Structures are given as C-alpha cells and as structure tokens.
Amino acid sequence: MPGYGEFLTGWSATAFGSGLVLPLIVAYLRETLGVSTSGVSLYFALFALSGLVVNPFAAWIGRLRGPGPTAVAATILQAAGATWLTAADSMAATVPAACLSGAGTGIYYAVQTPLLTRAFGDSAFSRVLSGQHRASALMMTAGSLLGGQAVQRLGDDGYTVCLAANAVSYLLYGVMLVRLRRTLVEPRGTVSSATDTEAAAAPGRRSAALRDPVFLRLLVLQSALVIFGLGQFESVVPAVLRDAHLSVVAISVVIACNTAGIIVFQGLALRVVERVGYTSALRVAIVAWMAALAFLAGALLVPAPRGRLLLGVLFGLVFSIGQCLIAPSVQPLVTRAAPPGAVEGYAAATSLAHGLGMFVAPLVLLPVVESGGRGSYLSVQLLGYCLALYALWSFRTRRTTPREDTVQPAGKAWASR
C-alpha cells in the first residue's frame, strides 16, 4: 500500500518517544521538580485544555489547508513543548510546556481521521488503525523499558535525556508526514480535496455533528472510554501505582507489559472486530476493563511487593485486550456516522470529546486518589465502566443506518487498494 511504510515508520518514532516519558513524567514532576499532586493534576489538565481550545481552529485549518500540512504543524508544536519541559525548573515553567504539547496533540488528533481516510481510503481504515496501534505498542514497550533504566542508571539526567529524545521523535514523525504527502496518490473512491473542502465548508456542516442525536451518544461513549480507560495510563495509573509503593522500574514493567499485550492481541482483536462488528467488540472491551480493574484492586491491596507487581502485570495485560478492541472500532463508527463531505467536522468533534476526556481524567481522578484513597478510585472507575456500557447500549438501540456496524473483511479491504 503506497505510503503505508512511511507512515508507520514516522508513527513508530513518535510512539517510541512517548514510551520513554510515559512512565517517568509523573515521577519527574513530583520528585525532581517538587510539584505537588494537585500541580501534577494541573499540568495534565492544561495539556488537555490546550487541545480543547485549539480544536475548532484545527478543524478550520484542516479544511482550508488540508489535513497533511496541519498534522506536520502539530508535530512542531509537540516538539516545542517537549523541549521546553527539559529546561523547566518549577511548576510555573511547566505551564508553557503543557500548553504547547497539548495544543500540538489537539491539532493532530483533530485531523488524524481525515488524514488517514484520505491517504488510505475508508475500506482500509480499520486495518490501518490496527497496524498503528500495534506499532505504538511495540515502540512504547521498548521506550518504557529504556526510560525506566535511564532514570535508574543516570538519575535526574535520565529524565532530561528521555524528554529530549521525545522532542526529536515528534520532529521525525513530521518529516515522515512530509514524505507521505509527496508519495501518496489519492485512493480511488475517496472524495477529491477540493470537493471535500467545499462540502465541509457548506453552511451548517460545522455544527452538524453536535446536532446529530445518534452521534452525540457515540461521543458520550468515547468520553467515558477516555476518562475511565485510555486516559488512565498517561497520568492516573502511574500515580496510583506509585502511591502503592511500586518503584519507577516496576511501573515501567507494568506499562511495558500492557503495550506488549497489545502487540500480542491486536491481530486477534482485529479478527474479532471483523467477525462480531464494532459495537459488540466495544462491549467486550468494556467487560475486559472491568476484569482488569479487579487485578488493579489486588495490586493496590496486596502487601507483598512481588504480589503487587504480578497483579499489576496482569492488570496491564487484561487492560490491553480492551484497548486492542477499541482501536479499530471507534473511529470507523465516526466515519460511518458522518454524512458525505462532513468527515472533518465529525472527526473534530470526536477529537474534542477525546481532549475533554483527557482533561477530566487527571483533574477529577487524581484528587479522588489523594482525598478518597484507593477504594474511592476503584469505585469511581467501576461506575465509569457502567456508564460506558449504558452509552453503548443507548447508541445501539438508536443508530439509524446498518452500515455503522458493518466491518469489511480484510481481503476486500486490501483488494480496493
């Protein structure tokens, strides 16, 4: 598939950089810069809030300039934020870093869906997302393990090295996106850029997604999946495990096992999605997260260090099953729910919901951990998963077109290339 190798190469680079800092960022803020738990919560909240603020502008720029150039600009902002964080020496100095990184991330995810569908076509979208998720897992596993070892061996200098490498990884991804634009030929069956931009700019298209009652239920589902699931590993889970007296290296092992689970399970999960459909796969994913929550409870409550680590590893592995089922399911539902010519607007709305979920997760759940303890955190998580199941049930009973839950078989998807 033309350009697919370039895309995965660049994405693998930025995933590796994210893996380096993922298990370290909370410990870096709290133990090196001396930021309080509420300050850590504020950092992640500013990160997410910046993405929310730029979301409407990102959708407009993506329609005007195209998703490719907009995504390249987003990687530059991400690199600037990561570079700023390497020089931070106080909570105040981390604020610009959070805002720059968050803005870049918000812009990128606002245009990723139209970027990938325009580059590779709707028929291959689920499989591209699945490959992207697996590449993320592989490189983040390597990054997580190396990041923990860097801090253990180099001390505070290890944090600086990992943060700087993360900044470089964003720039590498930007370079590969530029190469991708030069090599790709627009897929057959995809609306041309001019026609797509004109349709997206038509009156009422910008707010159509937020007036669609079926799509709004999908947004509620996505928000719940982010707040109580996908957003946890970036901010809340490392803090929870750290409070349970797991070392930075042990937390790195838990996160590495989670991403290793994605590598192992992603291919099987894609076949499950193709067999049972998107909504049924999402239901299985939420149930898997409920099971993972039981292992996390054990990791927080068992006194033996080895027992805590073992249960933490099981939590990460079972949680990865849900992640593998969600990755190729949610965004294809978005493209199928969007009317012709309105994919950019609907994709921007899902990016807004994702950013809002990332904003709410640390802002609400980290204080729950600090004030209410482990029991309160586990109870809130369980309620969140119940909300996700209800939103999914509501979406299934009110969806209006059968194609929303239709998964094209793998052979047909690649044949269209």
Side-chain angles (χ1 to χ4, degrees):
M1 184 163 54
Y4 186 59
E6 287 87 346
F7 168 71
L8 277 189
T9 299
W11 183 259
S12 296
T14 192
F16 177 77
S18 297
L20 283 174
V21 302
L22 182 59
L24 308 179
I25 187 67
V26 172
Y28 173 69
L29 293 173
R30 291 171 65 177
E31 298 170 17
T32 301
L33 300 185
V35 177
S36 64
T37 300
S38 59
V40 175
S41 176
L42 177 62
Y43 173 86
F44 287 107
L46 288 172
F47 183 100
L49 183 61
S50 298
L52 295 177
V53 170
V54 302
N55 181 272
F57 303 100
W60 176 74
I61 295 172
R63 286 191 295 266
L64 185 64
R65 299 294 183 184
T70 307
V72 173
T75 62
I76 295 173
L77 286 176
Q78 290 172 310
T83 302
W84 194 299
L85 191 58
T86 62
D89 57 2
S90 65
M91 178 62 207
T94 67
V95 171
C99 293
L100 286 170
S101 297
T105 301
I107 292 172
Y108 177 80
Y109 282 107
V111 298
Q112 177 179 250
T113 295
L115 172 69
L116 296 183
T117 54
R118 184 171 296 178
F120 303 111
D122 287 339
S123 61
F125 189 34
S126 286
R127 300 193 66 81
V128 170
L129 291 173
S130 181
Q132 180 188 29
H133 200 224
R134 177 177 282 176
S136 295
L138 176 62
M139 301 310 295
M140 290 187 73
T141 298
S144 296
L145 292 174
L146 289 176
Q149 291 297 319
V151 171
Q152 186 177 40
R153 295 175 181 275
L154 303 177
D156 288 348
D157 289 340
Y159 289 115
T160 303
V161 170
C162 291
L163 292 169
N166 186 37
V168 173
S169 74
Y170 287 124
L171 295 178
L172 290 175
Y173 184 41
V175 170
M176 297 310 296
L177 286 177
V178 172
R179 290 174 56 87
L180 178 67
R181 290 183 61 227
R182 293 175 178 174
T183 58
L184 277 178
V185 177
E186 191 171 14
R188 290 173 294 177
T190 302
V191 182
S192 68
S193 299
T195 305
D196 201 27
T197 301
E198 181 181 355
R205 288 294 190 195
R206 295 181 184 181
S207 58
L210 299 180
R211 297 197 308 268
D212 184 336
V214 175
F215 185 67
L216 285 176
R217 291 176 175 87
L218 181 59
L219 289 184
V220 172
L221 170 64
Q222 183 187 22
S223 298
L225 293 176
V226 174
I227 294 171
F228 303 103
L230 302 177
Q232 296 286 306
F233 267 88
E234 293 191 15
S235 56
V236 183
V237 167
V240 171
L241 295 177
R242 190 65 168 153
D243 288 343
H245 306 294
L246 270 74
S247 66
V248 171
V249 173
I251 295 172
S252 298
V253 170
V254 171
I255 294 176
C257 288
N258 170 258
T259 50
I262 294 173
I263 298 170
V264 174
F265 301 137
Q266 186 62 75
L268 176 61
L270 179 62
R271 290 194 290 272
V272 170
V273 172
E274 291 174 339
R275 179 178 293 273
V276 305
Y278 299 128
T279 53
S280 295
L282 289 172
R283 185 172 64 250
V284 175
I286 298 169
V287 172
W289 280 0
M290 288 181 170
L293 188 64
F295 289 114
L296 178 60
L300 299 178
L301 299 175
V302 169
R306 290 186 178 180
R308 288 198 300 268
L309 178 58
L310 175 61
L311 289 168
V313 167
L314 291 174
F315 158 71
L317 289 173
V318 176
F319 195 89
S320 71
I321 296 174
Q323 291 171 293
C324 290
L325 292 168
I326 289 170
S329 300
V330 174
Q331 291 306 312
L333 281 180
V334 172
T335 61
R336 283 156 174 74
V343 173
E344 282 89 348
Y346 275 62
T350 61
S351 175
L352 186 66
H354 185 277
L356 184 61
M358 297 297 289
F359 173 77
V360 170
L363 192 64
V364 173
L365 294 177
L366 280 177
V368 166
V369 175
E370 187 175 22
S371 62
R374 302 165 187 173
S376 297
Y377 170 74
L378 295 172
S379 299
V380 170
Q381 285 291 97
L382 183 59
L383 290 174
Y385 295 149
C386 291
L387 172 64
L389 281 175
Y390 174 77
L392 181 60
W393 172 82
S394 177
F395 173 74
R396 291 193 66 181
T397 57
R398 290 168 175 81
R399 60 188 176 89
T400 57
T401 58
R403 67 188 289 268
E404 289 175 3
D405 199 29
T406 300
V407 186
Q408 190 167 7
K412 293 183 179 179
W414 292 113
S416 67
R417 306 301 305 170

